[in-house]
Amino acid sequence: MNVSATLDMNSITEKSLAASKRPVIVGVGQLVQRDAELGDALEPLKMLEQVTRQAAQDAEITDATLAGLDTVAVVSVAGWRATNPARLLSDVIGAKPSAEFTTELGGQIGVTAANQLAERITRGETKIGLLAGCNNLRTLRRAIAIKRDLGWVKGGGPAPECIGEVRPGNTDLERQYGMETPPDIYPIFENALRARRGLSLSEHAQKMGELFSAFSKVAAANPHAWFPTFRDAAELTTPTAKNRMIAFPYPKYLNAILNTDQAAALLIMSESAALEAGVPREKLVYWWGGAEAVEKAWNSSERPDFASCPAMLDASQSALQNAGIQISDVDLIDFYSCFPVAVETAIRQLGLSEDDPRGFTVTGGLPYAGGPASAYTLHSLATMAERIRGGSDTIGLVTGNGWYLTKHAASLWASSPKTGSVPTRGLCDDLPSAEQDCTPRPVVPDVQGDAVVEAYTVVYGKDGSPERGIVLGAAEGGARFLANTPTDRGLLEAFVSSEQVGRPGILKDVAGLQQFEPA
């Protein structure tokens, strides 16, 4: 063999090796079960099987190829007590994977799992992988209401490896003062960010409405959306009997909707495995990189700055750096959108404008497309893959966040392979957070005297009346405090009628709890 032929063979080998480790999404499946009667509703395993087979059909692969899966990951499914969902799903599709995964709970975990599965491919540990998840809370809650056992399949064998860290999202002290769920806590961040931006209450409501009205417009055109209905800014932000205030400043239409039955699946392969399986080249969507980060101040009440989210920017900027691009190079964006503040923070930190012509969702967002617990970002990734396929040299960014702007993940996908270095995940060396004070500020539980509000909300009852004010701020000397306001309705109504960030007041002990009385 002459030298030229040897060089040609080496070149072919290098290309072959690169293709064998290029992660690509090859098939996607989505399911929405809006109107099923309780007796007809699919259980989690059936939903997962259905979207998996849809993904295989989308990829145009055979049943034999599907049965050859070597890695299966199932995002944690709320309320399903199966020991090993990945094994159960593998069994029904006839696969015998060598690697099985479940995940922790969290809105970021779908992106994290996709990044990790893609990275396994770059290391040669996976050739054909499946990532799937579902949410059955609508069916589950209806069954609980009438005390009906749904008889969902359990078991599956030994528990698989878990992606992510299982860690509580709240402290006992936070729960004591009413910081228990996302609708209680995200409004606190929202009010702090509004004050930082210098917006009046009316200006802020208009901006939230305009931002999320654009989301609802996307959902209205999405066949997999839970609420495929366009709503204008005024409808989203005006409290009514149908759109009652949940916690100031969020009426119901600005809250993620968890009470859905939805499922999604992604088939992720190496490029060479995909082509060998007969996947059409135009179906391939290439991974360009990703990253994950968590806030150093894990607990919501301990954030040094309620209007900033350092780890969110760390994750997004690291993912972009790993991909070798800037945010201006991205064509399609899906920011995690459980509440307006999550999107507003991402926009602000990445230096974007709220009227960016690219928009910030491909699905329609969690309040309208549906917020299926830990599985939402699988819908984001599936829809993003479909959109990328339709473009030329198209790059898409998907982000997720878990708990309370606590855990963050970002992932970049494109219509062509990444050139240069191998795609990777991980945080870059020069993190943006290095320029910020990220030190937690623990709550001092028994401080009294003069104090100033840094962030707050008022939580409402189902009858639309205000029930409890939650206040975080600085006591005299700078100690962080967490308190409730008095429950007087007149005081609470006044509390939400004007800006309270920066408001002075007095901290008192009332029945063993901190109470903030505005000055």
Side-chain angles (χ1 to χ4, degrees), residues 471-492:
V471 181
L472 287 138
E476 193 169 7
R480 169 63 55 78
F481 75 83
L482 170 58
N484 292 133
T485 63
T487 57
D488 175 75
R489 179 163 183 165
L491 181 148
L492 292 173

Side-chain angles (χ1 to χ4, degrees), residues 89-279:
L89 178 56
S90 299
D91 287 346
V92 298
I93 61 176
K96 301 291 183 183
S98 56
E100 299 170 334
F101 297 93
T102 185
T103 72
E104 63 162 326
L105 294 170
Q108 89 298 346
I109 200 62
V111 176
T112 298
N115 283 341
Q116 291 199 19
L117 183 53
E119 188 178 53
R120 284 180 59 87
I121 291 171
T122 67
R123 295 196 301 255
E125 297 169 356
T126 292
K127 290 185 178 180
I128 305 176
L130 170 67
L131 174 58
C134 66
N135 184 59
N136 306 75
L137 284 179
R138 176 178 179 268
T139 290
L140 182 61
R141 287 176 175 174
R142 292 166 72 201
I144 290 173
I146 61 173
K147 299 181 179 179
R148 176 172 173 176
D149 182 1
L150 291 168
W152 288 349
V153 173
K154 298 179 183 178
E161 183 178 343
C162 182
I163 296 172
E165 179 185 5
V166 178
R167 183 176 176 186
N170 309 78
T171 67
D172 291 340
L173 186 67
E174 288 170 345
R175 288 188 288 271
Q176 193 172 16
Y177 285 91
M179 294 177 65
E180 297 187 76
T181 65
D184 305 323
I185 297 172
Y186 279 85
I188 293 172
F189 298 130
E190 183 74 60
N191 288 320
L193 183 58
R194 178 195 61 242
R196 177 67 51 80
R197 297 172 71 187
L199 299 173
S200 69
L201 299 191
S202 59
E203 289 171 336
H204 179 233
Q206 180 67 24
K207 284 187 174 293
M208 287 193 301
E210 290 172 351
L211 180 65
F212 267 35
S213 178
F215 276 60
S216 76
K217 184 176 182 180
V218 174
N222 179 359
H224 304 295
W226 191 255
F227 293 124
T229 305
F230 171 74
R231 302 186 191 278
D232 64 25
E235 186 177 4
L236 292 177
T237 58
T238 304
T240 63
K242 290 184 177 180
N243 188 34
R244 67 181 179 87
M245 186 65 75
I246 304 297
F248 178 77
Y250 294 154
K252 182 178 179 181
Y253 291 159
L254 295 182
N255 285 252
I257 176 69
L258 293 177
N259 194 26
T260 75
D261 284 3
Q262 293 174 280
L266 309 166
L267 281 169
I268 305 178
M269 301 184 181
S270 68
E271 182 182 25
S272 59
L275 296 177
E276 288 170 9
V279 179

Side-chain angles (χ1 to χ4, degrees), residues 399-410:
T399 72
N401 93 75
W403 284 133
Y404 314 104
L405 296 176
T406 311
K407 304 177 286 186
H408 309 278

Side-chain angles (χ1 to χ4, degrees), residues 458 460 466-469 485-496:
V458 171
Y460 286 68
E467 292 185 341
R468 184 206 314 241
T485 63
T487 57
D488 175 75
R489 179 163 183 165
L491 181 148
L492 292 173
E493 289 177 343
F495 208 66
V496 299

